[in-house]
PDB file of all heavy atoms in Angstrom:
ATOM      1  N   ARG M 186     -10.439  19.987  -8.561  1.00 93.00           N
ATOM      2  CA  ARG M 186      -9.226  20.732  -8.208  1.00 93.00           C
ATOM      3  C   ARG M 186      -9.338  22.206  -8.567  1.00 93.00           C
ATOM      4  O   ARG M 186      -8.600  22.735  -9.405  1.00 93.00           O
ATOM      5  CB  ARG M 186      -8.013  20.104  -8.899  1.00 93.00           C
ATOM      6  CG  ARG M 186      -7.721  18.716  -8.392  1.00 93.00           C
ATOM      7  CD  ARG M 186      -6.276  18.336  -8.606  1.00 93.00           C
ATOM      8  NE  ARG M 186      -5.929  17.215  -7.773  1.00 93.00           N
ATOM      9  CZ  ARG M 186      -5.064  17.302  -6.749  1.00 93.00           C
ATOM     10  NH1 ARG M 186      -4.490  18.434  -6.479  1.00 93.00           N
ATOM     11  NH2 ARG M 186      -4.798  16.247  -6.034  1.00 93.00           N
ATOM     12  N   ALA M 192      -2.391  22.762 -16.383  1.00 97.00           N
ATOM     13  CA  ALA M 192      -1.479  23.753 -15.810  1.00 97.00           C
ATOM     14  C   ALA M 192      -0.290  23.965 -16.745  1.00 97.00           C
ATOM     15  O   ALA M 192       0.181  23.033 -17.392  1.00 97.00           O
ATOM     16  CB  ALA M 192      -1.002  23.290 -14.444  1.00 97.00           C
ATOM     17  N   ASN M 193       0.146  25.201 -16.776  1.00 97.00           N
ATOM     18  CA  ASN M 193       1.321  25.534 -17.574  1.00 97.00           C
ATOM     19  C   ASN M 193       2.587  25.239 -16.760  1.00 97.00           C
ATOM     20  O   ASN M 193       2.586  25.344 -15.536  1.00 97.00           O
ATOM     21  CB  ASN M 193       1.250  27.016 -17.942  1.00 97.00           C
ATOM     22  CG  ASN M 193       2.299  27.401 -18.965  1.00 97.00           C
ATOM     23  OD1 ASN M 193       2.824  26.540 -19.666  1.00 97.00           O
ATOM     24  ND2 ASN M 193       2.596  28.679 -19.046  1.00 97.00           N
ATOM     25  N   VAL M 194       3.618  24.829 -17.448  1.00 97.00           N
ATOM     26  CA  VAL M 194       4.909  24.671 -16.775  1.00 97.00           C
ATOM     27  C   VAL M 194       5.805  25.830 -17.208  1.00 97.00           C
ATOM     28  O   VAL M 194       6.061  26.018 -18.398  1.00 97.00           O
ATOM     29  CB  VAL M 194       5.562  23.314 -17.111  1.00 97.00           C
ATOM     30  CG1 VAL M 194       7.008  23.266 -16.617  1.00 97.00           C
ATOM     31  CG2 VAL M 194       4.756  22.187 -16.485  1.00 97.00           C
ATOM     32  N   THR M 198       8.648  24.467 -13.375  1.00 97.00           N
ATOM     33  CA  THR M 198       7.659  24.410 -12.297  1.00 97.00           C
ATOM     34  C   THR M 198       6.227  24.336 -12.817  1.00 97.00           C
ATOM     35  O   THR M 198       5.828  25.086 -13.719  1.00 97.00           O
ATOM     36  CB  THR M 198       7.802  25.672 -11.401  1.00 97.00           C
ATOM     37  OG1 THR M 198       9.168  25.807 -11.038  1.00 97.00           O
ATOM     38  CG2 THR M 198       6.948  25.560 -10.160  1.00 97.00           C
ATOM     39  N   CYS M 199       5.462  23.426 -12.223  1.00 97.00           N
ATOM     40  CA  CYS M 199       4.029  23.356 -12.501  1.00 97.00           C
ATOM     41  C   CYS M 199       3.382  24.572 -11.820  1.00 97.00           C
ATOM     42  O   CYS M 199       3.487  24.732 -10.605  1.00 97.00           O
ATOM     43  CB  CYS M 199       3.447  22.064 -11.928  1.00 97.00           C
ATOM     44  SG  CYS M 199       1.655  22.061 -11.809  1.00 97.00           S
ATOM     45  N   THR M 200       2.728  25.441 -12.593  1.00 97.00           N
ATOM     46  CA  THR M 200       2.208  26.685 -12.012  1.00 97.00           C
ATOM     47  C   THR M 200       0.989  26.438 -11.133  1.00 97.00           C
ATOM     48  O   THR M 200       0.570  27.325 -10.401  1.00 97.00           O
ATOM     49  CB  THR M 200       1.847  27.703 -13.106  1.00 97.00           C
ATOM     50  OG1 THR M 200       0.980  27.065 -14.048  1.00 97.00           O
ATOM     51  CG2 THR M 200       3.081  28.228 -13.816  1.00 97.00           C
ATOM     52  N   ALA M 201       0.402  25.242 -11.205  1.00 96.00           N
ATOM     53  CA  ALA M 201      -0.760  24.960 -10.364  1.00 96.00           C
ATOM     54  C   ALA M 201      -0.354  24.568  -8.951  1.00 96.00           C
ATOM     55  O   ALA M 201      -0.968  24.984  -7.984  1.00 96.00           O
ATOM     56  CB  ALA M 201      -1.615  23.873 -10.985  1.00 96.00           C
ATOM     57  N   CYS M 202       0.702  23.773  -8.816  1.00 96.00           N
ATOM     58  CA  CYS M 202       1.093  23.295  -7.476  1.00 96.00           C
ATOM     59  C   CYS M 202       2.485  23.774  -7.071  1.00 96.00           C
ATOM     60  O   CYS M 202       2.914  23.523  -5.950  1.00 96.00           O
ATOM     61  CB  CYS M 202       1.014  21.768  -7.399  1.00 96.00           C
ATOM     62  SG  CYS M 202       2.248  20.937  -8.414  1.00 96.00           S
ATOM     63  N   GLN M 203       3.174  24.459  -7.982  1.00 97.00           N
ATOM     64  CA  GLN M 203       4.494  25.035  -7.686  1.00 97.00           C
ATOM     65  C   GLN M 203       5.564  23.989  -7.406  1.00 97.00           C
ATOM     66  O   GLN M 203       6.553  24.282  -6.727  1.00 97.00           O
ATOM     67  CB  GLN M 203       4.425  26.038  -6.501  1.00 97.00           C
ATOM     68  CG  GLN M 203       3.348  27.092  -6.607  1.00 97.00           C
ATOM     69  CD  GLN M 203       3.471  27.925  -7.878  1.00 97.00           C
ATOM     70  OE1 GLN M 203       4.569  28.181  -8.367  1.00 97.00           O
ATOM     71  NE2 GLN M 203       2.348  28.339  -8.454  1.00 97.00           N
ATOM     72  N   ILE M 204       5.332  22.772  -7.881  1.00 96.00           N
ATOM     73  CA  ILE M 204       6.339  21.720  -7.702  1.00 96.00           C
ATOM     74  C   ILE M 204       7.083  21.538  -9.029  1.00 96.00           C
ATOM     75  O   ILE M 204       6.474  21.617 -10.102  1.00 96.00           O
ATOM     76  CB  ILE M 204       5.681  20.394  -7.258  1.00 96.00           C
ATOM     77  CG1 ILE M 204       4.954  20.561  -5.923  1.00 96.00           C
ATOM     78  CG2 ILE M 204       6.698  19.253  -7.193  1.00 96.00           C
ATOM     79  CD1 ILE M 204       5.842  20.789  -4.707  1.00 96.00           C
ATOM     80  N   ALA M 205       8.393  21.283  -8.949  1.00 96.00           N
ATOM     81  CA  ALA M 205       9.202  21.145 -10.158  1.00 96.00           C
ATOM     82  C   ALA M 205       8.922  19.822 -10.860  1.00 96.00           C
ATOM     83  O   ALA M 205       8.652  18.809 -10.207  1.00 96.00           O
ATOM     84  CB  ALA M 205      10.679  21.243  -9.801  1.00 96.00           C
ATOM     85  N   VAL M 206       8.951  19.864 -12.179  1.00 96.00           N
ATOM     86  CA  VAL M 206       8.833  18.617 -12.943  1.00 96.00           C
ATOM     87  C   VAL M 206      10.250  18.143 -13.271  1.00 96.00           C
ATOM     88  O   VAL M 206      11.197  18.930 -13.281  1.00 96.00           O
ATOM     89  CB  VAL M 206       8.010  18.820 -14.244  1.00 96.00           C
ATOM     90  CG1 VAL M 206       6.621  19.295 -13.913  1.00 96.00           C
ATOM     91  CG2 VAL M 206       8.704  19.772 -15.198  1.00 96.00           C
ATOM     92  N   GLU M 222       1.165  14.539 -17.277  1.00 96.00           N
ATOM     93  CA  GLU M 222       0.528  15.103 -16.091  1.00 96.00           C
ATOM     94  C   GLU M 222       1.545  15.352 -15.001  1.00 96.00           C
ATOM     95  O   GLU M 222       2.617  14.754 -14.985  1.00 96.00           O
ATOM     96  CB  GLU M 222      -0.617  14.241 -15.582  1.00 96.00           C
ATOM     97  CG  GLU M 222      -0.453  12.757 -15.747  1.00 96.00           C
ATOM     98  CD  GLU M 222      -1.636  11.990 -15.196  1.00 96.00           C
ATOM     99  OE1 GLU M 222      -1.585  11.703 -13.990  1.00 96.00           O
ATOM    100  OE2 GLU M 222      -2.584  11.691 -15.955  1.00 96.00           O
ATOM    101  N   CYS M 223       1.159  16.260 -14.097  1.00 96.00           N
ATOM    102  CA  CYS M 223       2.044  16.623 -12.992  1.00 96.00           C
ATOM    103  C   CYS M 223       2.057  15.475 -11.981  1.00 96.00           C
ATOM    104  O   CYS M 223       1.007  14.965 -11.595  1.00 96.00           O
ATOM    105  CB  CYS M 223       1.538  17.907 -12.340  1.00 96.00           C
ATOM    106  SG  CYS M 223       2.446  18.377 -10.869  1.00 96.00           S
ATOM    107  N   ASN M 224       3.258  15.050 -11.564  1.00 94.00           N
ATOM    108  CA  ASN M 224       3.373  13.954 -10.601  1.00 94.00           C
ATOM    109  C   ASN M 224       2.795  14.333  -9.241  1.00 94.00           C
ATOM    110  O   ASN M 224       2.382  13.472  -8.482  1.00 94.00           O
ATOM    111  CB  ASN M 224       4.849  13.587 -10.415  1.00 94.00           C
ATOM    112  CG  ASN M 224       5.273  12.540 -11.424  1.00 94.00           C
ATOM    113  OD1 ASN M 224       4.454  11.697 -11.832  1.00 94.00           O
ATOM    114  ND2 ASN M 224       6.521  12.601 -11.854  1.00 94.00           N
ATOM    115  N   GLN M 225       2.797  15.622  -8.961  1.00 95.00           N
ATOM    116  CA  GLN M 225       2.343  16.094  -7.661  1.00 95.00           C
ATOM    117  C   GLN M 225       0.826  16.303  -7.644  1.00 95.00           C
ATOM    118  O   GLN M 225       0.124  15.709  -6.846  1.00 95.00           O
ATOM    119  CB  GLN M 225       3.081  17.400  -7.320  1.00 95.00           C
ATOM    120  CG  GLN M 225       2.646  18.044  -6.022  1.00 95.00           C
ATOM    121  CD  GLN M 225       3.027  17.171  -4.833  1.00 95.00           C
ATOM    122  OE1 GLN M 225       3.993  16.394  -4.886  1.00 95.00           O
ATOM    123  NE2 GLN M 225       2.258  17.273  -3.761  1.00 95.00           N
ATOM    124  N   CYS M 226       0.314  17.181  -8.555  1.00 95.00           N
ATOM    125  CA  CYS M 226      -1.107  17.554  -8.466  1.00 95.00           C
ATOM    126  C   CYS M 226      -1.982  16.802  -9.462  1.00 95.00           C
ATOM    127  O   CYS M 226      -3.191  16.953  -9.450  1.00 95.00           O
ATOM    128  CB  CYS M 226      -1.287  19.073  -8.617  1.00 95.00           C
ATOM    129  SG  CYS M 226      -0.918  19.699 -10.273  1.00 95.00           S
ATOM    130  N   ARG M 227      -1.389  15.970 -10.270  1.00 95.00           N
ATOM    131  CA  ARG M 227      -2.100  15.103 -11.218  1.00 95.00           C
ATOM    132  C   ARG M 227      -2.869  15.869 -12.290  1.00 95.00           C
ATOM    133  O   ARG M 227      -3.724  15.309 -12.947  1.00 95.00           O
ATOM    134  CB  ARG M 227      -3.063  14.118 -10.516  1.00 95.00           C
ATOM    135  CG  ARG M 227      -2.513  13.369  -9.318  1.00 95.00           C
ATOM    136  CD  ARG M 227      -1.186  12.713  -9.514  1.00 95.00           C
ATOM    137  NE  ARG M 227      -1.135  11.753 -10.634  1.00 95.00           N
ATOM    138  CZ  ARG M 227      -0.049  11.068 -10.959  1.00 95.00           C
ATOM    139  NH1 ARG M 227       1.079  11.233 -10.287  1.00 95.00           N
ATOM    140  NH2 ARG M 227      -0.070  10.231 -11.969  1.00 95.00           N
ATOM    141  N   ARG M 228      -2.595  17.141 -12.427  1.00 97.00           N
ATOM    142  CA  ARG M 228      -3.234  17.888 -13.517  1.00 97.00           C
ATOM    143  C   ARG M 228      -2.465  17.639 -14.811  1.00 97.00           C
ATOM    144  O   ARG M 228      -1.283  17.279 -14.778  1.00 97.00           O
ATOM    145  CB  ARG M 228      -3.251  19.387 -13.220  1.00 97.00           C
ATOM    146  CG  ARG M 228      -4.135  19.785 -12.052  1.00 97.00           C
ATOM    147  CD  ARG M 228      -4.082  21.295 -11.839  1.00 97.00           C
ATOM    148  NE  ARG M 228      -5.006  21.727 -10.815  1.00 97.00           N
ATOM    149  CZ  ARG M 228      -4.673  21.939  -9.531  1.00 97.00           C
ATOM    150  NH1 ARG M 228      -3.424  21.748  -9.138  1.00 97.00           N
ATOM    151  NH2 ARG M 228      -5.581  22.337  -8.672  1.00 97.00           N
ATOM    152  N   TYR M 229      -3.147  17.827 -15.935  1.00 97.00           N
ATOM    153  CA  TYR M 229      -2.424  17.829 -17.202  1.00 97.00           C
ATOM    154  C   TYR M 229      -1.466  19.008 -17.172  1.00 97.00           C
ATOM    155  O   TYR M 229      -1.826  20.098 -16.702  1.00 97.00           O
ATOM    156  CB  TYR M 229      -3.383  17.997 -18.386  1.00 97.00           C
ATOM    157  CG  TYR M 229      -4.252  16.790 -18.632  1.00 97.00           C
ATOM    158  CD1 TYR M 229      -5.631  16.925 -18.785  1.00 97.00           C
ATOM    159  CD2 TYR M 229      -3.692  15.516 -18.743  1.00 97.00           C
ATOM    160  CE1 TYR M 229      -6.437  15.818 -19.018  1.00 97.00           C
ATOM    161  CE2 TYR M 229      -4.492  14.410 -18.975  1.00 97.00           C
ATOM    162  CZ  TYR M 229      -5.860  14.563 -19.101  1.00 97.00           C
ATOM    163  OH  TYR M 229      -6.641  13.469 -19.330  1.00 97.00           O
ATOM    164  N   ILE M 230      -0.256  18.782 -17.680  1.00 97.00           N
ATOM    165  CA  ILE M 230       0.668  19.914 -17.766  1.00 97.00           C
ATOM    166  C   ILE M 230       1.070  20.124 -19.223  1.00 97.00           C
ATOM    167  O   ILE M 230       1.146  19.168 -19.996  1.00 97.00           O
ATOM    168  CB  ILE M 230       1.927  19.747 -16.867  1.00 97.00           C
ATOM    169  CG1 ILE M 230       2.457  18.309 -16.952  1.00 97.00           C
ATOM    170  CG2 ILE M 230       1.628  20.140 -15.434  1.00 97.00           C
ATOM    171  CD1 ILE M 230       3.751  18.102 -16.193  1.00 97.00           C
TER     172      ILE M 230
HETATM  173 ZN1   ZN E   1       1.269  20.270 -10.416  1.00 74.03          ZN
END
Side-chain angles (χ1 to χ4, degrees):
R186 294 204 163 247
N193 190 20
V194 170
T198 309
C199 164
T200 52
C202 68
Q203 310 303 327
I204 299 291
V206 300
E222 34 179 273
C223 174
N224 271 329
Q225 177 67 27
C226 69
R227 313 311 303 180
R228 293 180 175 97
Y229 290 130
I230 42 175

